Amino acid sequence: EIYTLSLHDALPIFGARPVCPQCQVPGAVGIHCVDCARQASARRRAPRTILGGVAVADTLITKSFIAVCVATYLLQSTSPALLGRMNFVPALAHTEPWRFITTTFLHGSLIHLAFNMWALWVLGSSLEPILGRWRFTCLCLISAVGGSTAIYWLASPASIPDWFGGTVGASGAVFGLFAAMFVIQHRFGRDTSAIVGLLAINLVFSFLGQNISWQGHLGGMVTGAVLAGVYAWAAPKIGRASCRERV
């Protein structure tokens, strides 16, 4: 006897499934069902930036960082005790290590906050899209910790103001971003004169200004430069070639 199979009956034999017209997803070759299209999308690698990070179209981390700093400053106004619990004090570094990072979100004045947030916005708007969210987040936080670490290392236990005095501000993270911008631009042959000028001016103010922690600025800058060097020199070859073509 000869049996005839309909298309609906034959599809399972070849490992395929029938798809209703409403669920059909046009593909490069033929039509796929919703499940197959979802699986193919999951296997597809996300687009990468010139430095190997996952490409993003916004600056979510930069905006979030600014929002946390502003919110923390408002909390300082209503709860002054917050400053004493979160600022960085070298004498308390061993027993309260969270201060290495929490001090980043505190600020001493509205002008202090405004300058750091402006710098963070300008630098973050350029760096976050090319680094990706995770790498940019690591750059900000590790630079901030680097600034606090430099304050700790350079503080003398014999000096009461240095050892027991508190420091606040996101300047360590900001100087890390400044340094990262310089390293990345230099790595790919971009003009670095503007960023060098900004760094020089800020360093002069750091050393000559009163109540400014030059140690935190220096530590953040060195840490940011080292981490940015790892990012830039570890970038995929395709990314480096693409960047050279745009210069």
Side-chain angles (χ1 to χ4, degrees):
E1 295 183 68
I2 299 177
Y3 294 93
T4 58
L5 296 175
S6 65
L7 178 60
H8 184 277
D9 296 327
L11 283 174
I13 298 176
F14 298 100
R17 295 190 303 176
V19 184
C20 66
Q22 289 79 10
C23 296
Q24 292 178 351
V25 179
V29 179
I31 295 174
H32 306 281
C33 71
V34 176
D35 293 336
C36 294
R38 188 180 296 113
Q39 292 174 3
S41 178
R43 290 193 299 267
R44 191 178 301 117
R45 292 189 61 186
R48 297 280 173 172
T49 69
I50 59 175
L51 292 176
V54 178
V56 293
D58 56 15
T59 54
L60 177 63
I61 301 302
T62 301
K63 295 175 183 176
S64 300
F65 202 104
I66 292 174
V68 171
C69 288
V70 172
T72 305
Y73 183 76
L74 294 176
L75 286 175
Q76 285 179 242
S77 304
T78 59
S79 179
L82 187 68
L83 183 67
R85 291 195 297 265
M86 294 177 60
N87 66 343
F88 183 74
V89 180
L92 301 176
H94 281 289
T95 56
E96 301 178 3
W98 63 82
R99 293 175 180 265
F100 277 89
I101 190 64
T102 56
T103 184
T104 305
F105 304 107
L106 301 172
H107 287 84
S109 67
L110 187 59
I111 294 178
H112 187 203
L113 174 71
F115 176 79
N116 278 345
M117 295 306 98
W118 172 80
L120 180 61
W121 173 254
V122 172
L123 295 167
S125 297
S126 298
L127 288 172
E128 187 174 348
I130 64 174
L131 289 175
R133 287 175 183 164
W134 283 108
R135 297 187 184 202
F136 179 74
T137 301
C138 290
L139 177 63
C140 289
L141 297 181
I142 294 175
S143 294
V145 172
S148 298
T149 302
I151 294 173
Y152 174 73
W153 281 348
L154 297 174
S156 171
S159 173
I160 293 179
D162 288 349
W163 195 244
F164 294 96
T167 57
V168 297
S171 300
V174 168
F175 269 79
L177 297 182
F178 270 122
M181 181 71 78
F182 167 78
V183 170
I184 293 171
Q185 287 184 339
H186 176 73
R187 175 68 179 95
F188 296 120
R190 306 284 180 87
D191 181 23
T192 59
S193 56
I195 196 68
V196 168
L198 285 172
L199 266 175
I201 293 172
N202 280 279
L203 284 174
V204 169
F205 277 109
S206 298
F207 285 97
L208 299 182
Q210 294 182 345
N211 298 322
I212 296 178
S213 175
W214 61 267
Q215 300 93 328
H217 293 182
L218 184 63
M221 184 180 68
V222 172
T223 304
V226 171
L227 186 55
V230 174
Y231 288 160
W233 267 265
K237 294 182 179 179
I238 296 177
R240 293 199 293 267
S242 174
C243 186
R244 284 195 295 268
E245 291 172 0
R246 297 175 186 175
V247 176

